[in-house]
Amino acid sequence: MIQMKSRLLVIDNSGALIVECIKVLKNAKWASIGDEIVVSVKNARPISDNLGASVASTRIKKGDVRKALIVRTKKEMRRPDGRFIRFDDNACVLINNQKQPIGSRILSLVPRELREKNWVKVVSLAPKVI
């Protein structure tokens, strides 16, 4: 269950590392797996230019406000067969306004509930679906 001020890991290669939820994009107090949220980037990955000097990432910078898709939560989720699934951390993938992932790779596993919620592009980029 993700609500305002929740911190999430970013598991794609967009350049952001840690984000903070600032808005849940549905009429509820919290969001779950497969829901969209608005996030603020709190920590971003620096990139190096040809001279070796560290400069801020041109794609995602600290302080940027973006949309994200929640892919993992610590709060357990019930599956139709009665099993519960939960993860060790809260994680998301940054998306653009056309609901496509900003990064070209997803670096960790995602649950199969994303396929049922029509996030097929995110599922196809993931190395493993649980």
mmCIF file of all heavy atoms in Angstrom, residues 13-52:
data_model
loop_
_atom_site.group_PDB
_atom_site.id
_atom_site.type_symbol
_atom_site.label_atom_id
_atom_site.label_comp_id
_atom_site.label_asym_id
_atom_site.label_seq_id
_atom_site.Cartn_x
_atom_site.Cartn_y
_atom_site.Cartn_z
ATOM 1 N N ASN A 13 16.245 1.434 -15.979
ATOM 2 C CA ASN A 13 17.493 2.152 -16.241
ATOM 3 C C ASN A 13 17.227 3.583 -16.713
ATOM 4 O O ASN A 13 17.955 4.121 -17.532
ATOM 5 C CB ASN A 13 18.345 1.394 -17.261
ATOM 6 C CG ASN A 13 17.670 1.290 -18.611
ATOM 7 O OD1 ASN A 13 16.482 1.549 -18.758
ATOM 8 N ND2 ASN A 13 18.433 0.910 -19.618
ATOM 9 N N SER A 14 16.211 4.232 -16.167
ATOM 10 C CA SER A 14 15.873 5.592 -16.567
ATOM 11 C C SER A 14 16.825 6.624 -15.963
ATOM 12 O O SER A 14 16.918 7.734 -16.469
ATOM 13 C CB SER A 14 14.440 5.910 -16.156
ATOM 14 O OG SER A 14 14.301 5.822 -14.775
ATOM 15 N N GLY A 15 17.506 6.312 -14.893
ATOM 16 C CA GLY A 15 18.435 7.233 -14.259
ATOM 17 C C GLY A 15 18.056 7.569 -12.831
ATOM 18 O O GLY A 15 18.885 8.027 -12.061
ATOM 19 N N ALA A 16 16.815 7.377 -12.452
ATOM 20 C CA ALA A 16 16.386 7.632 -11.077
ATOM 21 C C ALA A 16 16.688 6.410 -10.211
ATOM 22 O O ALA A 16 16.644 5.278 -10.691
ATOM 23 C CB ALA A 16 14.901 7.948 -11.041
ATOM 24 N N LEU A 17 16.991 6.649 -8.945
ATOM 25 C CA LEU A 17 17.257 5.557 -8.020
ATOM 26 C C LEU A 17 16.178 5.440 -6.953
ATOM 27 O O LEU A 17 15.690 4.350 -6.681
ATOM 28 C CB LEU A 17 18.621 5.756 -7.347
ATOM 29 C CG LEU A 17 19.836 5.707 -8.265
ATOM 30 C CD1 LEU A 17 21.092 6.065 -7.489
ATOM 31 C CD2 LEU A 17 19.970 4.345 -8.890
ATOM 32 N N ILE A 18 15.826 6.562 -6.328
ATOM 33 C CA ILE A 18 14.805 6.585 -5.280
ATOM 34 C C ILE A 18 13.824 7.706 -5.599
ATOM 35 O O ILE A 18 14.227 8.804 -5.973
ATOM 36 C CB ILE A 18 15.441 6.800 -3.894
ATOM 37 C CG1 ILE A 18 16.379 5.643 -3.562
ATOM 38 C CG2 ILE A 18 14.367 6.946 -2.826
ATOM 39 C CD1 ILE A 18 17.151 5.816 -2.289
ATOM 40 N N VAL A 19 12.525 7.408 -5.459
ATOM 41 C CA VAL A 19 11.483 8.400 -5.696
ATOM 42 C C VAL A 19 10.544 8.440 -4.499
ATOM 43 O O VAL A 19 10.511 7.516 -3.690
ATOM 44 C CB VAL A 19 10.688 8.104 -7.000
ATOM 45 C CG1 VAL A 19 11.567 8.223 -8.222
ATOM 46 C CG2 VAL A 19 10.039 6.741 -6.947
ATOM 47 N N GLU A 20 9.791 9.524 -4.406
ATOM 48 C CA GLU A 20 8.813 9.689 -3.333
ATOM 49 C C GLU A 20 7.448 9.949 -3.949
ATOM 50 O O GLU A 20 7.312 10.789 -4.838
ATOM 51 C CB GLU A 20 9.207 10.859 -2.440
ATOM 52 C CG GLU A 20 8.260 11.103 -1.295
ATOM 53 C CD GLU A 20 8.718 12.251 -0.426
ATOM 54 O OE1 GLU A 20 9.647 12.041 0.364
ATOM 55 O OE2 GLU A 20 8.155 13.338 -0.561
ATOM 56 N N CYS A 21 6.455 9.235 -3.484
ATOM 57 C CA CYS A 21 5.090 9.397 -3.992
ATOM 58 C C CYS A 21 4.542 10.742 -3.529
ATOM 59 O O CYS A 21 4.585 11.060 -2.346
ATOM 60 C CB CYS A 21 4.210 8.258 -3.488
ATOM 61 S SG CYS A 21 2.483 8.428 -3.946
ATOM 62 N N ILE A 22 4.000 11.521 -4.473
ATOM 63 C CA ILE A 22 3.383 12.786 -4.104
ATOM 64 C C ILE A 22 1.898 12.831 -4.461
ATOM 65 O O ILE A 22 1.201 13.745 -4.051
ATOM 66 C CB ILE A 22 4.121 13.990 -4.730
ATOM 67 C CG1 ILE A 22 4.157 13.888 -6.249
ATOM 68 C CG2 ILE A 22 5.508 14.115 -4.156
ATOM 69 C CD1 ILE A 22 4.744 15.108 -6.916
ATOM 70 N N LYS A 23 1.410 11.829 -5.219
ATOM 71 C CA LYS A 23 -0.014 11.803 -5.570
ATOM 72 C C LYS A 23 -0.391 10.406 -6.049
ATOM 73 O O LYS A 23 0.327 9.789 -6.823
ATOM 74 C CB LYS A 23 -0.292 12.827 -6.679
ATOM 75 C CG LYS A 23 -1.695 12.843 -7.206
ATOM 76 C CD LYS A 23 -2.632 13.528 -6.261
ATOM 77 C CE LYS A 23 -3.997 13.649 -6.911
ATOM 78 N NZ LYS A 23 -5.057 13.776 -5.954
ATOM 79 N N VAL A 24 -1.516 9.903 -5.560
ATOM 80 C CA VAL A 24 -2.068 8.635 -6.040
ATOM 81 C C VAL A 24 -3.101 8.977 -7.108
ATOM 82 O O VAL A 24 -4.001 9.776 -6.871
ATOM 83 C CB VAL A 24 -2.705 7.838 -4.889
ATOM 84 C CG1 VAL A 24 -3.357 6.578 -5.412
ATOM 85 C CG2 VAL A 24 -1.661 7.506 -3.837
ATOM 86 N N LEU A 25 -2.961 8.404 -8.307
ATOM 87 C CA LEU A 25 -3.813 8.773 -9.432
ATOM 88 C C LEU A 25 -5.092 7.943 -9.514
ATOM 89 O O LEU A 25 -5.490 7.503 -10.583
ATOM 90 C CB LEU A 25 -3.040 8.661 -10.746
ATOM 91 C CG LEU A 25 -1.949 9.697 -10.950
ATOM 92 C CD1 LEU A 25 -1.259 9.477 -12.275
ATOM 93 C CD2 LEU A 25 -2.527 11.100 -10.869
ATOM 94 N N LYS A 26 -5.718 7.709 -8.415
ATOM 95 C CA LYS A 26 -7.042 7.130 -8.388
ATOM 96 C C LYS A 26 -7.731 7.659 -7.143
ATOM 97 O O LYS A 26 -7.081 8.242 -6.280
ATOM 98 C CB LYS A 26 -7.014 5.604 -8.418
ATOM 99 C CG LYS A 26 -6.404 4.955 -7.197
ATOM 100 C CD LYS A 26 -6.478 3.452 -7.301
ATOM 101 C CE LYS A 26 -6.056 2.817 -5.994
ATOM 102 N NZ LYS A 26 -6.210 1.387 -6.003
ATOM 103 N N ASN A 27 -9.011 7.506 -7.061
ATOM 104 C CA ASN A 27 -9.752 8.071 -5.935
ATOM 105 C C ASN A 27 -9.661 7.160 -4.727
ATOM 106 O O ASN A 27 -10.622 6.520 -4.325
ATOM 107 C CB ASN A 27 -11.207 8.302 -6.327
ATOM 108 C CG ASN A 27 -11.340 9.373 -7.383
ATOM 109 O OD1 ASN A 27 -10.543 10.296 -7.424
ATOM 110 N ND2 ASN A 27 -12.334 9.253 -8.240
ATOM 111 N N ALA A 28 -8.475 7.105 -4.144
ATOM 112 C CA ALA A 28 -8.241 6.285 -2.958
ATOM 113 C C ALA A 28 -7.101 6.905 -2.166
ATOM 114 O O ALA A 28 -6.389 7.781 -2.651
ATOM 115 C CB ALA A 28 -7.903 4.855 -3.354
ATOM 116 N N LYS A 29 -6.926 6.428 -0.947
ATOM 117 C CA LYS A 29 -5.851 6.940 -0.114
ATOM 118 C C LYS A 29 -4.526 6.271 -0.423
ATOM 119 O O LYS A 29 -3.478 6.823 -0.136
ATOM 120 C CB LYS A 29 -6.186 6.740 1.363
ATOM 121 C CG LYS A 29 -7.312 7.624 1.838
ATOM 122 C CD LYS A 29 -7.515 7.449 3.319
ATOM 123 C CE LYS A 29 -8.632 8.360 3.798
ATOM 124 N NZ LYS A 29 -8.857 8.222 5.239
ATOM 125 N N TRP A 30 -4.560 5.061 -0.960
ATOM 126 C CA TRP A 30 -3.327 4.354 -1.244
ATOM 127 C C TRP A 30 -3.428 3.616 -2.570
ATOM 128 O O TRP A 30 -4.499 3.401 -3.101
ATOM 129 C CB TRP A 30 -2.972 3.379 -0.123
ATOM 130 C CG TRP A 30 -4.023 2.362 0.147
ATOM 131 C CD1 TRP A 30 -4.261 1.216 -0.543
ATOM 132 C CD2 TRP A 30 -5.001 2.405 1.175
ATOM 133 N NE1 TRP A 30 -5.308 0.537 -0.007
ATOM 134 C CE2 TRP A 30 -5.793 1.251 1.057
ATOM 135 C CE3 TRP A 30 -5.286 3.307 2.198
ATOM 136 C CZ2 TRP A 30 -6.844 0.982 1.904
ATOM 137 C CZ3 TRP A 30 -6.338 3.020 3.040
ATOM 138 C CH2 TRP A 30 -7.093 1.875 2.893
ATOM 139 N N ALA A 31 -2.278 3.230 -3.067
ATOM 140 C CA ALA A 31 -2.176 2.520 -4.341
ATOM 141 C C ALA A 31 -1.524 1.165 -4.104
ATOM 142 O O ALA A 31 -0.817 0.958 -3.120
ATOM 143 C CB ALA A 31 -1.356 3.329 -5.331
ATOM 144 N N SER A 32 -1.764 0.256 -5.032
ATOM 145 C CA SER A 32 -1.226 -1.092 -4.938
ATOM 146 C C SER A 32 -0.519 -1.442 -6.248
ATOM 147 O O SER A 32 -0.322 -0.582 -7.103
ATOM 148 C CB SER A 32 -2.359 -2.067 -4.650
ATOM 149 O OG SER A 32 -1.860 -3.365 -4.458
ATOM 150 N N ILE A 33 -0.182 -2.710 -6.414
ATOM 151 C CA ILE A 33 0.513 -3.162 -7.617
ATOM 152 C C ILE A 33 -0.355 -2.903 -8.845
ATOM 153 O O ILE A 33 -1.533 -3.221 -8.861
ATOM 154 C CB ILE A 33 0.861 -4.661 -7.496
ATOM 155 C CG1 ILE A 33 1.899 -4.857 -6.401
ATOM 156 C CG2 ILE A 33 1.367 -5.220 -8.814
ATOM 157 C CD1 ILE A 33 2.221 -6.290 -6.094
ATOM 158 N N GLY A 34 0.259 -2.299 -9.867
ATOM 159 C CA GLY A 34 -0.444 -2.016 -11.113
ATOM 160 C C GLY A 34 -1.109 -0.648 -11.166
ATOM 161 O O GLY A 34 -1.711 -0.307 -12.166
ATOM 162 N N ASP A 35 -0.983 0.149 -10.111
ATOM 163 C CA ASP A 35 -1.583 1.481 -10.081
ATOM 164 C C ASP A 35 -0.542 2.535 -10.459
ATOM 165 O O ASP A 35 0.652 2.361 -10.236
ATOM 166 C CB ASP A 35 -2.133 1.795 -8.690
ATOM 167 C CG ASP A 35 -3.328 0.924 -8.335
ATOM 168 O OD1 ASP A 35 -4.003 0.433 -9.254
ATOM 169 O OD2 ASP A 35 -3.572 0.735 -7.131
ATOM 170 N N GLU A 36 -1.043 3.653 -11.000
ATOM 171 C CA GLU A 36 -0.176 4.768 -11.363
ATOM 172 C C GLU A 36 -0.128 5.776 -10.218
ATOM 173 O O GLU A 36 -1.126 6.007 -9.547
ATOM 174 C CB GLU A 36 -0.707 5.478 -12.601
ATOM 175 C CG GLU A 36 -0.583 4.691 -13.871
ATOM 176 C CD GLU A 36 -1.111 5.478 -15.045
ATOM 177 O OE1 GLU A 36 -0.576 6.576 -15.309
ATOM 178 O OE2 GLU A 36 -2.055 5.002 -15.678
ATOM 179 N N ILE A 37 1.041 6.373 -10.043
ATOM 180 C CA ILE A 37 1.227 7.422 -9.055
ATOM 181 C C ILE A 37 2.083 8.521 -9.680
ATOM 182 O O ILE A 37 2.713 8.315 -10.718
ATOM 183 C CB ILE A 37 1.896 6.897 -7.763
ATOM 184 C CG1 ILE A 37 3.238 6.240 -8.063
ATOM 185 C CG2 ILE A 37 1.000 5.939 -7.023
ATOM 186 C CD1 ILE A 37 4.020 5.817 -6.839
ATOM 187 N N VAL A 38 2.102 9.689 -9.055
ATOM 188 C CA VAL A 38 3.006 10.769 -9.435
ATOM 189 C C VAL A 38 4.114 10.806 -8.399
ATOM 190 O O VAL A 38 3.844 10.762 -7.194
ATOM 191 C CB VAL A 38 2.261 12.120 -9.493
ATOM 192 C CG1 VAL A 38 3.220 13.234 -9.862
ATOM 193 C CG2 VAL A 38 1.122 12.056 -10.484
ATOM 194 N N VAL A 39 5.354 10.864 -8.864
ATOM 195 C CA VAL A 39 6.499 10.791 -7.959
ATOM 196 C C VAL A 39 7.451 11.961 -8.193
ATOM 197 O O VAL A 39 7.468 12.560 -9.265
ATOM 198 C CB VAL A 39 7.274 9.459 -8.130
ATOM 199 C CG1 VAL A 39 6.437 8.269 -7.745
ATOM 200 C CG2 VAL A 39 7.803 9.315 -9.528
ATOM 201 N N SER A 40 8.224 12.237 -7.161
ATOM 202 C CA SER A 40 9.306 13.208 -7.237
ATOM 203 C C SER A 40 10.617 12.450 -7.070
ATOM 204 O O SER A 40 10.748 11.629 -6.154
ATOM 205 C CB SER A 40 9.146 14.243 -6.133
ATOM 206 O OG SER A 40 10.270 15.084 -6.074
ATOM 207 N N VAL A 41 11.577 12.718 -7.942
ATOM 208 C CA VAL A 41 12.856 12.009 -7.890
ATOM 209 C C VAL A 41 13.688 12.571 -6.745
ATOM 210 O O VAL A 41 13.950 13.770 -6.672
ATOM 211 C CB VAL A 41 13.606 12.150 -9.231
ATOM 212 C CG1 VAL A 41 14.961 11.467 -9.158
ATOM 213 C CG2 VAL A 41 12.774 11.575 -10.361
ATOM 214 N N LYS A 42 14.090 11.708 -5.828
ATOM 215 C CA LYS A 42 14.889 12.105 -4.674
ATOM 216 C C LYS A 42 16.365 11.820 -4.855
ATOM 217 O O LYS A 42 17.208 12.495 -4.284
ATOM 218 C CB LYS A 42 14.398 11.390 -3.405
ATOM 219 C CG LYS A 42 13.029 11.815 -2.980
ATOM 220 C CD LYS A 42 13.026 13.274 -2.627
ATOM 221 C CE LYS A 42 11.648 13.750 -2.262
ATOM 222 N NZ LYS A 42 11.624 15.192 -2.014
ATOM 223 N N ASN A 43 16.703 10.810 -5.629
ATOM 224 C CA ASN A 43 18.095 10.442 -5.851
ATOM 225 C C ASN A 43 18.216 9.934 -7.277
ATOM 226 O O ASN A 43 17.470 9.042 -7.672
ATOM 227 C CB ASN A 43 18.522 9.371 -4.843
ATOM 228 C CG ASN A 43 20.006 9.179 -4.788
ATOM 229 O OD1 ASN A 43 20.748 9.843 -5.494
ATOM 230 N ND2 ASN A 43 20.446 8.263 -3.934
ATOM 231 N N ALA A 44 19.160 10.497 -8.035
ATOM 232 C CA ALA A 44 19.333 10.096 -9.432
ATOM 233 C C ALA A 44 20.771 9.648 -9.663
ATOM 234 O O ALA A 44 21.688 10.040 -8.930
ATOM 235 C CB ALA A 44 18.979 11.247 -10.372
ATOM 236 N N ARG A 45 20.950 8.853 -10.690
ATOM 237 C CA ARG A 45 22.259 8.312 -11.032
ATOM 238 C C ARG A 45 23.010 9.332 -11.883
ATOM 239 O O ARG A 45 22.516 9.777 -12.915
ATOM 240 C CB ARG A 45 22.066 7.017 -11.822
ATOM 241 C CG ARG A 45 23.321 6.304 -12.186
ATOM 242 C CD ARG A 45 23.020 4.993 -12.913
ATOM 243 N NE ARG A 45 22.291 4.081 -12.050
ATOM 244 C CZ ARG A 45 21.064 3.621 -12.309
ATOM 245 N NH1 ARG A 45 20.437 3.980 -13.399
ATOM 246 N NH2 ARG A 45 20.470 2.793 -11.482
ATOM 247 N N PRO A 46 24.227 9.719 -11.491
ATOM 248 C CA PRO A 46 25.003 10.637 -12.326
ATOM 249 C C PRO A 46 25.614 9.895 -13.510
ATOM 250 O O PRO A 46 25.868 8.686 -13.435
ATOM 251 C CB PRO A 46 26.091 11.148 -11.387
ATOM 252 C CG PRO A 46 26.251 10.065 -10.383
ATOM 253 C CD PRO A 46 24.898 9.414 -10.233
ATOM 254 N N ILE A 47 25.847 10.619 -14.597
ATOM 255 C CA ILE A 47 26.523 10.035 -15.751
ATOM 256 C C ILE A 47 27.783 10.833 -16.015
ATOM 257 O O ILE A 47 27.912 11.988 -15.613
ATOM 258 C CB ILE A 47 25.628 10.002 -17.005
ATOM 259 C CG1 ILE A 47 25.226 11.414 -17.413
ATOM 260 C CG2 ILE A 47 24.430 9.135 -16.783
ATOM 261 C CD1 ILE A 47 24.558 11.491 -18.752
ATOM 262 N N SER A 48 28.734 10.244 -16.703
ATOM 263 C CA SER A 48 29.998 10.908 -16.997
ATOM 264 C C SER A 48 30.051 11.312 -18.457
ATOM 265 O O SER A 48 29.583 10.587 -19.327
ATOM 266 C CB SER A 48 31.167 9.976 -16.684
ATOM 267 O OG SER A 48 31.151 9.619 -15.327
ATOM 268 N N ASP A 49 30.653 12.473 -18.724
ATOM 269 C CA ASP A 49 30.862 12.873 -20.111
ATOM 270 C C ASP A 49 32.200 12.315 -20.588
ATOM 271 O O ASP A 49 32.837 11.513 -19.921
ATOM 272 C CB ASP A 49 30.782 14.390 -20.253
ATOM 273 C CG ASP A 49 31.841 15.101 -19.418
ATOM 274 O OD1 ASP A 49 32.600 14.409 -18.723
ATOM 275 O OD2 ASP A 49 31.894 16.343 -19.476
ATOM 276 N N ASN A 50 32.675 12.752 -21.740
ATOM 277 C CA ASN A 50 33.912 12.212 -22.312
ATOM 278 C C ASN A 50 35.143 12.558 -21.484
ATOM 279 O O ASN A 50 36.138 11.851 -21.524
ATOM 280 C CB ASN A 50 34.102 12.734 -23.734
ATOM 281 C CG ASN A 50 33.042 12.193 -24.662
ATOM 282 O OD1 ASN A 50 32.427 11.184 -24.349
ATOM 283 N ND2 ASN A 50 32.819 12.842 -25.771
ATOM 284 N N LEU A 51 35.111 13.646 -20.730
ATOM 285 C CA LEU A 51 36.268 14.046 -19.940
ATOM 286 C C LEU A 51 36.338 13.345 -18.589
ATOM 287 O O LEU A 51 37.300 13.513 -17.858
ATOM 288 C CB LEU A 51 36.242 15.566 -19.726
ATOM 289 C CG LEU A 51 36.251 16.404 -21.000
ATOM 290 C CD1 LEU A 51 36.113 17.870 -20.650
ATOM 291 C CD2 LEU A 51 37.517 16.147 -21.795
ATOM 292 N N GLY A 52 35.321 12.588 -18.241
ATOM 293 C CA GLY A 52 35.334 11.879 -16.981
ATOM 294 C C GLY A 52 34.701 12.664 -15.851
ATOM 295 O O GLY A 52 34.599 12.162 -14.743
#
